[in-house]
Amino acid sequence: MSPQIRPPEGIWGAVLLPVGRRGEIEWSALEEQLSALLESGIQGVYTNGTAGEFHSQTEDEFDRLSQLVAEFCHSVALSFQIGVSHSNGRVARERLARVASLRPDAVQITLPDWWAPSYHEAEVFFAGMAATAPDTPLILYNPPHAKRRLNLDEIAGLRAGLPMLIGAKLPGGDEVWYEELRRKLPDLAVFIPGHFMASGCLAGGRGSYSNVACLSPAGAARWWHQLREDPAGALAFEARVVGFMNEHVLPLAARHGLSNAALDKAMAAAGRWCPIGPELLWPYSSASREAVIELGTAARRQLPELFSTSQ
């Protein structure tokens, strides 16, 4: 790894797409969102993760989003990553070629997913992506809903041949999983789901591309600092966060068949920290306005620390 490349850590916030009444992206509202993310104190932002709707964007929208985020983040010295994922690996490679000149801190990559690749095909894919932009660090985005989930041995195999692979988003696991992570991938910046941030980072994770930051980026940033100052308190808070997710967020998916992206955008709308509603780009369903109001009320009742200016 080049000495100037610093593996990421901390709480990173998703750049979400504000969707207007006619189903278009509201770019001015997105600029307001970036300002709010900057002011929240999180360590960085990223585009086109689980809630970033990369699968619904046109290539023109992808380019405009990437340019807007890059220009903003460079102007305020905020770290940023660009997701170049696409179900078509060739399109993902073209996206990477176009954004490399924007100088992101890293690019996030999912494996092509129309037909889940074999491990050999995953190796070919990552080698091709690395060759396309050899000076750009890579992040493997491999969440629980990926069609091809790599195990730690497979990721270690990729890492051995790709020094520019500096991090990964993974779902986490039990004590045995984290022990293997520490042993097999000690230098990889592994990010875990936001609601398991405290326990995951104490066990070996480096941070989170955070669903909790969808609800309150400032609150998620304060929780990160609490983890350094009061680990026991941060773990106790995690139990309440997980309880809130199980009681109020996941049931929305069960009752209404909503995607993870819809759940994250519902939390952002419930958090009211930026001008965004729960709507997803066509043709995907979103949480109702009534559900968003109920979610916000429950969050403020059960997790007031996320919305307080002191913790």
Side-chain angles (χ1 to χ4, degrees), residues 5 9 30 36 47 66 86 96 106 124 134 137 182-183 200 207-208 223 226 232 236 238 248 256 279 282 285 288:
I5 296 176
E9 67 173 18
L30 197 144
T47 67
S66 301
H86 197 281
L96 173 55
V124 171
R182 295 189 297 269
R183 177 164 46 86
S208 177
W223 187 23
Q226 181 190 28
E238 176 178 296
H248 296 285
H256 305 292
E279 295 80 15
W282 181 86
S285 300
S288 68

Side-chain angles (χ1 to χ4, degrees), residues 58-232:
T58 68
E59 292 308 283
D60 286 344
E61 289 169 339
F62 170 84
D63 289 342
R64 183 171 180 178
L65 173 66
S66 301
Q67 185 73 37
L68 188 156
V69 171
E71 289 179 354
F72 176 88
C73 290
H74 283 308
S75 72
V76 297
L78 178 64
S79 296
F80 73 103
Q81 297 175 3
I82 293 177
V84 299
S85 302
H86 197 281
S87 60
N88 183 334
R90 295 167 65 204
V91 175
R93 187 171 56 183
E94 291 172 355
R95 287 182 168 188
L96 173 55
R98 296 202 303 275
V99 305
S101 63
L102 299 177
R103 296 180 290 113
D105 292 273
V107 294
Q108 297 180 0
I109 303 171
T110 58
L111 293 170
D113 70 352
W114 174 251
W115 190 267
S118 67
Y119 180 67
H120 171 69
E121 290 166 336
E123 287 183 308
V124 171
F125 173 69
F126 262 88
M129 297 296 275
T132 298
D135 296 325
T136 302
L138 306 179
I139 304 288
L140 166 65
Y141 207 82
N142 201 216
H145 50 277
K147 284 186 179 177
R148 177 67 160 90
R149 285 178 51 185
L150 300 176
N151 61 41
L152 295 179
D153 285 322
E154 290 172 327
I155 296 171
L158 285 178
R159 178 78 170 81
L162 296 169
M164 67 288 295
L165 179 61
I166 64 169
K169 174 170 183 176
L170 302 177
D174 56 16
E175 292 182 5
V176 173
W177 187 89
Y178 278 105
E179 190 280 327
E180 290 183 0
L181 173 68
R182 295 189 297 269
R183 177 164 46 86
K184 297 175 180 177
L185 291 165
D187 298 325
L188 192 72
V190 171
F191 278 40
I192 40 81
H195 51 299
F196 295 121
M197 185 277 293
S199 59
C201 288
L202 288 173
R206 302 283 184 88
S208 177
Y209 301 121
S210 177
N211 55 358
V212 178
C214 289
L215 184 61
S216 172
R222 288 194 296 271
W223 187 23
W224 171 257
H225 291 299
Q226 181 190 28
L227 181 63
R228 269 62 189 147
E229 300 165 1
D230 177 19

